[in-house]
Amino acid sequence: MSVNGLPESVSTALSKLSKAQQDVLASAPDEMKPFLEAQMKMQKEQELGEWITKMMKGGHEKAMSILRNIGG
């Protein structure tokens, strides 16, 4: 599964900063904004990776369950 294969709404939601994050970024000192924005984007990428991992694990577990049932 690739990021390109994700539904548009999921990839868009996970790639944009939330309203709360945007507010924090807007109120941060100018010298901290690039660091905070990079940190927030990295957190979003980590969340996306975790979501993909959970989806793939769920598919794998379903497939293994089917194979176990077939095998007896």
Side-chain angles (χ1 to χ4, degrees):
M1 174 184 282
S2 69
V3 175
N4 295 335
L6 292 175
E8 181 80 21
S9 59
V10 172
S11 59
T12 301
L14 290 173
S15 65
K16 291 185 178 179
L17 297 179
S18 69
K19 176 72 172 127
Q21 288 174 319
Q22 291 173 2
D23 291 344
V24 168
L25 196 57
S27 65
D30 288 339
E31 65 273 5
M32 292 296 292
K33 286 182 182 181
F35 171 76
L36 285 174
E37 185 174 14
Q39 189 175 27
M40 290 175 184
K41 286 182 179 180
M42 188 176 0
Q43 181 181 4
K44 289 289 187 178
E45 288 180 11
Q46 184 177 8
E47 291 172 5
L48 178 60
E50 290 172 4
W51 184 82
I52 291 171
T53 300
K54 286 179 184 178
M55 296 300 293
M56 293 180 74
K57 183 178 179 185
H60 172 74
E61 289 174 356
K62 288 178 188 176
M64 291 302 295
S65 176
I66 291 169
L67 290 174
R68 279 189 215 102
N69 289 336
I70 291 172

